[in-house]
Amino acid sequence: MDKTGVELKATTTDAMRLNLQLRTAFHVLQRFADINCSNADELYSEAKRLPWDRVIDPLGFLSVTSNVRNDTITNSMFPNMRLKDAICDKLTSTVGKRPDAGSSTDGMVVNLHWVENKARIYLNMTGRKLSDRGYRKMPFMAPMRETIAAAVLMEMKYDGTRPLVVPMCGSGTLAIEAALMAKHRAPGLLRSNYACNQWLNADKETWSQQRADAKKLIGKNDPAPIIASDIEEEAVEASRKNAVTAGVDHLIEFHICDFAQTPLPTSGGGDVVLHGEYGVRLGDEDELISTYKRIGDFLKTNCAGWDGYVFTSGKPLIGAIRLKVAKRTPFINAEIDCRLLRYELYKGSKVTEA
Ligand SMILES: C[S@@+](CC[C@H](N)C(=O)[O-])C[C@H]1O[C@@H](n2cnc3c(N)ncnc32)[C@H](O)[C@@H]1O
């Protein structure tokens, strides 16, 4: 497993629970076989010896994806095709039928991790990425991936007991993920299609039981206020619709306004988190610098006693905030090097050159 994965021993039931409950992972993979192969022909012949007839539904749909570092491979699609051929040829010779195959990950998915002459083959229990929760029917510009939003909230140690304010909410991902977390709602309950239900002899009864158990864990109490705002009416409309789809609209208060006008609950503190635009993705840098100066002023003036967070990228924008950073947490978002910056906003927070 590479550094973006975690390996653990688990039963199939545990793996189902992981699919339903994980907030920051993309896939749950079940190791199927390790093979030695130094080129694509060996990949084909070794993979063809595996007992695919025990796991692949020949009447289903199959997709193969791969991660390969092998000098003989110059076309990244070639290993997928050779492994898919091995699986389908094996099934044709053993059961006389083979699944349809293609790039859609809505059916059965096989993953290949191949480094030099060692290949590991996994049955992907998830299918389409877990970040595709199913609630974001209305993306607004530059939305944050749901898994990143969940990771940001975890890094903030958000648990629903303190108010959360999300100015510049875009399509509402941070606010919606927060509401799901605060209610202990398994994010996986929002979608129904998982690859593990398409394997041969899929245990659909246990899956239904796991879904029912996850529903029992949903908290009865509502979290502290969650407030989301954006200057664009269209963004707030998208957020509201997405929150309805996620079943958490009643937990979020929406406002159309400039971030600096976002109303904060007056009693006690809480967390305020901003994910503005950053140069490499959208907008012009000079204009962004003046927006980030205003973000610094907003945090200092309006949010005294709160914890402030800014998710962004690039030294000039971070510098423009002009507040002392208490913590920087690195993130990779859409292949861009980003930071979650934490500010402790006591009355009279110091303006500094960051
Ligand atoms: C990068 S997007 C936020 C994406 C959001 N996290 C999501 O997941 O969809 C930045 C948002 O800031 C909003 N925005 C830009 N300038 C603003 C301002 N002055 N006040 C409030 N919102 C603003 C934009 O309309 C946009 O929706």
Side-chain angles (χ1 to χ4, degrees):
M1 200 40 92
D2 59 36
K3 66 178 176 183
T4 58
V6 174
E7 206 169 74
L8 60 140
K9 274 201 175 136
T11 62
T12 304
T13 309
D14 294 333
M16 289 177 181
R17 236 181 354 250
L18 289 171
N19 267 301
L20 289 167
Q21 296 285 355
L22 285 176
R23 295 184 193 275
T24 59
F26 279 166
H27 293 116
V28 180
L29 310 175
Q30 183 181 358
R31 195 197 293 185
F32 183 61
D34 285 335
I35 57 178
N36 288 321
C37 51
S38 51
N39 57 47
D41 285 341
E42 286 178 20
L43 169 70
Y44 174 87
S45 55
E46 287 301 305
K48 202 175 163 200
R49 291 148 56 105
L50 299 173
W52 295 107
D53 46 323
R54 286 198 217 143
V55 291
I56 299 273
D57 178 356
L59 303 177
F61 187 89
L62 171 70
S63 164
V64 177
T65 66
S66 61
N67 237 310
V68 177
R69 251 191 302 131
N70 175 291
D71 290 343
T72 67
I73 301 298
T74 49
N75 174 347
S76 62
M77 298 308 285
F78 192 53
N80 301 355
M81 199 184 76
R82 294 304 281 153
L83 179 51
K84 183 264 296 168
D85 287 346
I87 297 169
C88 290
D89 291 351
K90 170 73 179 241
L91 287 166
T92 305
S93 65
T94 51
V95 295
K97 288 183 226 121
R98 50 153 288 184
D100 285 337
S103 59
S104 163
T105 50
D106 287 337
M108 297 169 288
V109 183
V110 170
N111 287 93
L112 167 70
H113 285 235
W114 180 11
V115 179
E116 290 160 11
N117 65 346
K118 301 253 177 256
R120 180 162 287 175
I121 297 173
Y122 296 93
L123 308 181
N124 184 327
M125 298 186 66
T126 307
R128 207 184 295 176
K129 286 191 181 103
L130 288 173
S131 54
D132 293 346
R133 312 270 203 244
Y135 65 73
R136 205 159 63 191
K137 306 280 187 222
M138 306 273 296
F140 193 64
M141 60 179 164
M144 186 179 254
R145 216 188 251 286
E146 295 86 332
T147 37
I148 297 269
V152 163
L153 291 159
M154 284 179 184
E155 177 62 17
M156 291 166 57
K157 306 209 171 5
Y158 175 76
D159 64 2
T161 56
R162 281 158 40 100
L164 176 73
V165 175
V166 190
M168 305 178 125
C169 69
S171 47
T173 323
L174 279 160
I176 294 170
E177 288 295 320
L180 294 172
M181 280 168 75
K183 289 291 277 183
H184 304 287
R185 283 253 316 252
L189 283 173
L190 290 163
R191 61 181 234 184
S192 53
N193 184 18
Y194 286 86
C196 59
N197 292 324
Q198 313 216 23
W199 299 106
L200 199 63
N201 306 324
D203 186 354
K204 293 192 179 155
E205 208 173 298
T206 304
W207 177 258
S208 300
Q209 188 56 53
Q210 292 309 308
R211 278 186 71 93
D213 289 352
K215 283 183 189 160
K216 285 187 208 142
L217 297 176
I218 297 173
K220 300 262 179 292
N221 299 334
D222 286 349
I226 301 174
I227 295 165
S229 71
D230 200 284
I231 200 161
E232 299 288 343
E233 188 177 349
E234 210 187 316
V236 173
E237 203 39 41
S239 286
R240 207 190 297 274
K241 285 193 175 147
N242 292 335
V244 169
T245 309
V248 294
D249 52 306
H250 60 296
L251 303 174
I252 305 172
E253 187 184 309
F254 295 98
H255 298 271
I256 304 167
C257 60
D258 182 84
F259 64 82
Q261 257 71 60
T262 309
L264 268 65
T266 45
S267 56
D271 297 309
V272 54
V273 56
L274 297 102
H275 170 214
E277 291 142 21
Y278 30 81
V280 276
R281 297 192 70 172
L282 296 168
D284 166 75
E285 192 159 276
D286 287 346
E287 207 184 310
L288 285 183
I289 294 235
S290 86
T291 302
Y292 276 77
K293 276 189 182 150
R294 289 208 304 119
I295 287 178
D297 294 343
F298 164 69
L299 290 174
K300 178 172 156 30
T301 312
N302 298 31
C303 309
W306 286 57
D307 283 332
Y309 296 87
V310 178
F311 185 92
T312 191
S313 175
K315 272 195 177 160
L317 299 183
I318 294 171
I321 298 172
R322 296 181 305 147
L323 288 174
K324 189 167 179 288
V325 180
K327 189 174 180 197
R328 291 164 206 261
T329 309
F331 275 80
I332 307 284
N333 185 33
E335 296 182 12
I336 299 170
D337 224 350
C338 294
R339 296 281 177 279
L340 177 68
L341 308 164
R342 174 164 186 265
Y343 300 97
E344 287 164 3
L345 304 163
Y346 47 91
K347 284 212 165 45
S349 281
K350 262 191 264 162
V351 171
T352 62
E353 296 311 316

